[in-house]
Amino acid sequence: MKNSIYTIFILLFAAFLILSPAAAQEEETPDQTRTIELAGQWPFHSTKATAVDNDRGLIFLGEGEQLVVLDEDLNRITGLKVTDTGQIGGLFYSKPDHLIYAACRSDGLWIIDVTDPENPFKAGAYKDTERTIDLFSVHVDEKIAYMASGIAGVTIVDVSDPADTKFLSSIDLPGAFGFTYAVDTFVFNDSLYVADVINGVHISDVSDPENPDPLKLLALANARDVYVTGDILFASLESGGLEIVNISDPNKPTEESVYQVQGLANRATRIFGDTAYVGFDQAGLHVLDISDISEPVHEPAWEYTATGAKSIALNANGDAAFITDDQIGLQKIDVADPANMTRLAAYDTPADAAAMDVSGEYAYVVDDTVSDTPENEGLRIFQLPVTNNVIQFSLAGFVKTPGSARDVSVFGETAYVADGDSGVQVISVIDKSAPEIRAQIDTAGRAEGVFADGGRVYVAAGEEGLAIIDVSDPDAPQEIAVIDTAGYAGSVFVSGDFAYVADGDNGLVIINVSEPAAPRLVGAIQTPGAAEGVRIKNEFAYVADGPAGLTVVNIDDKRSPDIAATLNTGGYAENISITASVAYVASGEKGLTTVDISDPAQPVKIDEWGFDTNGYTSDIFSGYSVDDTAFLFLADGPPGLIALNPALEDKKDDGGQSSGSSSSSGCFINGLR
């Protein structure tokens, strides 16, 4: 096939030889280069996160930790929490039994009875009690479940009695240097096909599920999804390729053709008749004419633009496709005329992330989207377990807020949420699974930003400036002072006796808060852009300055601050986080911009640590590390919460080999974009 074992060898080396400094505190040496990898996302729409019951007009969606049941117009019928891991990896629907099989990552297999779509219930489950394994997908054939289990290969379970599932066997897949990572399965005519992102597609004889017999490995690096119809296998490759293989003889598969799109990740493929529907990350849907499989035809007009199509399901007539879209959630597309595809309906998943804070081993994320599902807006709490250097994002709890949640700051066991016109919500997070609003206080203006510091909470209150709240008694907070600023206060950061307010077009405002009941305006400076966020390090204020990018202000003299430097970050700078001598800028539509601020007067972009996202990055948190592996968190709007791993990697010599590294914290799973 197209990809040789040498290619796989290089991919493995590139994935494993990653040196990760604790939040960029190590100095880069001449023998090292910077890399950045996706290290987790919530929600994560994997290959098979949708399923369809065409007879009853039902759509099933894996939405983070929930199974959501929708009607054919994508109106929500009900939802059921089916996992504590925060992720449903994949779904399989058995129409005769009205059973949904959900691969729930580290939480095992859940079997849900959806006979009554308004009242789904757990009918059974399977979880390996001896090993901790991740389940990414499941395919059920003749009451046998075949589950893609990451590094553990394939797990095969008898599910004929959902209440009494039985382990049958497992397959340790062969791979280069013993490394495999199974992410998708498909069974056809007693043959099992497994997509392995390291090695390709494995074919095994499963006529006896208790004694599977491996037959063949198709060396296709980065295989993400596999689909079989008739004698033809379609393998989606993360490199952007669709590999079409004749498997009339599984022992001697032959390549028929390849459809390749450069620069995009191919996530899923579904077939209806002579038409292939191919989903691409960050690009949407391509439709191919495969009446001649040796030459798949893609007309330029046969595309549906979306922010991603990570899973695809088709209705019975093949005239409607359902795709999971990074920003919208789930879309229903009219595909009867591939040259004129249009959206019929959409369901917005509760994933929007506007701002965040991290405290201990938990991330606190607020969603400010007011749409047709306001019940999804509020504060979400995620535990941050790490497996193979990837944040798993286990959803711990949620509480709805009455307003439009804009910002969050956590101090101790209390989260303070700037809730727009509803002021500040004081939320107890002692029980992470059941956060509870303890008190609410109306602020003088619209609560846009919040900073908690001991018994005081400082609120960027829009047109009203800065509000100061006494929270020494969290059950009875009191607004003790308000000081007007000339602009629109959107964010505040407190350091020592001073509050620094990002005041929009008015720039940076410095306020003495040593006497909280009597704050005094000390100094101000109009920045070249629109001040949206601010952080302090030593005698400098670093301002996320909207269209102007990053503005550095010398605040040694608080009464007369002076601009030291300005750097165009490429996007609209919304917020900033600083660790060591590196500033991480939330750059709106451009995602993450990273800047070396070792010399504040001459900030320099670190292009290797930039990261373009699918959404709109409005907030960022740096400085979180586990076992010397550093992580960044981005609030990316509709696509949700993203974790990144910035790292230093040893350069390779002229022979293509790594020169070695003193430590390693990377793993191939980091490449699962």
Side-chain angles (χ1 to χ4, degrees):
M1 305 300 288
K2 293 184 70 65
N3 296 290
S4 67
I5 211 73
Y6 175 77
T7 302
I8 297 172
F9 175 81
I10 294 299
L11 288 171
L12 284 167
F13 254 159
F16 274 87
L17 297 176
I18 297 175
L19 174 63
S20 177
Q25 293 183 17
E26 295 181 14
E27 183 178 353
E28 180 182 355
T29 72
D31 294 328
Q32 293 176 318
T33 185
R34 294 179 172 98
T35 64
I36 193 164
E37 300 284 350
L38 183 73
Q41 183 171 355
W42 191 93
F44 178 77
H45 298 302
S46 66
T47 303
K48 295 181 178 177
T50 53
V52 177
D53 183 336
N54 289 301
D55 292 344
R56 297 193 292 166
L58 299 174
I59 315 299
F60 305 101
L61 173 67
E63 183 185 82
E65 82 289 354
Q66 287 194 78
L67 172 71
V68 177
V69 184
L70 309 165
D71 66 20
E72 58 188 350
D73 295 320
L74 303 191
N75 297 306
R76 181 187 175 105
I77 296 174
T78 190
L80 175 69
K81 183 177 179 180
V82 300
T83 172
D84 292 323
T85 66
Q87 302 286 340
I88 292 176
L91 298 177
F92 182 91
Y93 180 54
S94 174
K95 184 168 63 174
D97 308 312
H98 294 162
L99 293 176
I100 284 282
Y101 297 85
C104 296
R105 301 293 295 272
S106 61
D107 207 23
L109 176 71
W110 276 52
I111 306 172
I112 302 104
D113 189 315
V114 291
T115 304
D116 179 359
E118 295 185 3
N119 296 286
F121 64 90
K122 181 181 180 181
Y126 170 79
K127 188 172 183 179
D128 195 312
T129 57
E130 297 181 359
R131 302 177 299 167
T132 299
I133 60 175
D134 265 346
L135 302 184
F136 288 90
S137 74
V138 55
H139 189 101
V140 179
D141 183 69
E142 300 294 334
K143 305 294 185 180
I144 306 296
Y146 300 85
M147 295 174 285
S149 307
I151 59 176
V154 177
T155 304
I156 304 176
V157 175
D158 182 342
V159 293
S160 54
D161 181 358
D164 186 23
T165 57
K166 294 181 174 63
F167 173 82
L168 295 179
S169 61
S170 62
I171 304 176
D172 293 325
L173 301 173
F177 308 103
F179 298 123
T180 60
Y181 208 85
V183 293
D184 194 27
T185 56
F186 198 100
V187 178
F188 184 77
N189 285 346
D190 290 334
S191 291
L192 168 66
Y193 302 88
V194 183
D196 171 355
V197 293
I198 300 299
N199 301 284
V201 176
H202 302 264
I203 306 176
S204 297
D205 182 343
V206 290
S207 53
D208 179 0
E210 294 187 64
N211 297 284
D213 181 19
L215 299 177
K216 191 76 174 177
L217 168 63
L218 310 181
L220 305 170
N222 302 119
R224 294 302 307 254
D225 171 76
V226 61
Y227 190 87
V228 177
T229 178
D231 292 331
I232 306 300
L233 177 147
F234 300 84
S236 299
L237 309 182
E238 188 171 305
S239 60
L242 172 63
E243 195 89 20
I244 303 177
V245 182
N246 189 315
I247 53 169
S248 53
D249 182 353
N251 286 286
K252 297 180 180 179
T254 57
E255 180 186 272
E256 292 286 349
S257 58
V258 178
Y259 172 72
Q260 183 75 40
V261 177
Q262 298 297 328
L264 297 174
N266 181 6
R267 291 308 179 111
T269 301
R270 296 295 176 267
I271 309 299
F272 188 89
D274 291 333
T275 306
Y277 300 87
V278 187
F280 289 93
D281 191 18
Q282 299 182 334
L285 192 67
H286 287 200
V287 181
L288 306 180
D289 180 345
I290 55 170
S291 52
D292 180 0
I293 60 171
S294 66
E295 191 174 349
V297 178
H298 171 65
E299 297 291 340
W302 287 11
E303 298 180 9
Y304 180 82
T305 302
T307 59
K310 290 179 177 167
S311 67
I312 305 171
L314 301 170
N315 70 352
N317 300 322
D319 57 8
F322 302 88
I323 66 172
T324 50
D325 181 291
D326 274 344
Q327 294 198 25
I328 294 175
L330 180 68
Q331 293 197 60
K332 181 181 181 181
I333 312 299
D334 183 344
V335 295
D337 178 7
N340 187 32
M341 291 182 281
T342 57
R343 189 172 81 186
L344 298 174
Y347 171 74
D348 187 12
T349 58
D352 292 29
M356 83 189 85
D357 196 7
V358 176
S359 179
E361 297 180 353
Y362 292 88
Y364 300 80
V365 184
V366 293
D367 177 354
D368 71 341
T369 300
V370 179
S371 60
D372 57 352
T373 56
E375 67 275 8
N376 292 330
E377 180 185 297
L379 174 69
R380 287 183 179 82
I381 305 175
F382 295 91
Q383 195 170 13
L384 304 174
V386 177
T387 301
N388 294 328
N389 297 322
V390 174
I391 300 286
Q392 299 294 338
F393 288 122
S394 175
L395 182 64
F398 168 77
V399 61
K400 178 184 179 298
T401 61
S404 178
R406 302 287 295 154
D407 195 15
V408 58
S409 182
V410 179
F411 191 90
E413 297 295 341
T414 305
Y416 301 90
V417 174
D419 206 29
D421 292 332
S422 295
V424 174
Q425 308 299 321
V426 182
I427 301 174
S428 172
V429 294
I430 294 174
D431 182 353
K432 306 296 188 294
S433 65
E436 180 183 9
I437 296 177
R438 299 179 62 177
Q440 173 182 338
I441 183 165
D442 293 328
T443 51
R446 178 180 171 83
E448 296 282 358
V450 61
F451 186 96
D453 185 19
R456 305 281 186 269
V457 170
Y458 302 85
V459 183
E463 294 179 350
E464 298 299 324
L466 177 68
I468 303 177
I469 301 173
D470 185 335
V471 290
S472 54
D473 181 356
D475 293 317
Q478 293 184 337
E479 186 175 77
I480 57 175
V482 177
I483 181 169
D484 194 11
T485 56
Y488 190 89
S491 179
V492 58
F493 187 87
V494 177
S495 177
D497 290 335
F498 297 92
Y500 300 85
V501 179
D503 206 32
D505 292 337
N506 188 47
L508 177 67
V509 175
I510 304 173
I511 298 171
N512 188 317
V513 292
S514 57
E515 296 182 21
R520 295 180 289 109
L521 181 66
V522 174
I525 186 168
Q526 190 163 15
T527 54
E532 301 287 353
V534 59
R535 289 295 183 271
I536 307 300
K537 179 176 172 60
N538 299 329
E539 296 304 320
F540 292 90
Y542 296 84
V543 180
D545 207 20
L550 172 65
T551 296
V552 184
V553 179
N554 189 323
I555 55 170
D556 185 42
D557 183 352
K558 306 291 188 295
R559 295 168 298 179
S560 183
D562 181 53
I563 292 177
T566 298
L567 178 69
N568 186 347
T569 55
Y572 191 93
E574 290 278 2
N575 220 322
I576 189 169
S577 184
I578 297 175
T579 301
S581 59
V582 177
Y584 302 93
V585 182
S587 293
E589 70 280 2
K590 292 296 183 180
L592 166 68
T593 303
T594 304
V595 182
D596 183 341
I597 56 170
S598 53
D599 182 354
Q602 293 184 318
V604 178
K605 277 205 295 185
I606 305 174
D607 291 332
E608 298 89 343
W609 279 351
F611 193 89
D612 194 5
T613 65
N614 291 341
Y616 187 91
T617 305
S618 57
D619 198 11
I620 189 163
F621 186 95
S622 66
Y624 185 82
S625 64
V626 177
D627 296 332
D628 295 328
T629 299
F631 295 99
L632 309 173
F633 298 97
L634 311 182
D636 201 42
L641 182 62
I642 294 173
L644 300 174
N645 169 216
L648 293 178
E649 181 182 274
D650 286 355
K651 293 180 180 178
K652 295 175 181 176
D653 60 27
D654 292 339
Q657 304 298 317
S658 170
S659 59
S661 63
S662 57
S663 63
S664 174
S665 65
C667 183
F668 57 82
I669 194 173
N670 283 3
L672 298 183
R673 289 285 310 274

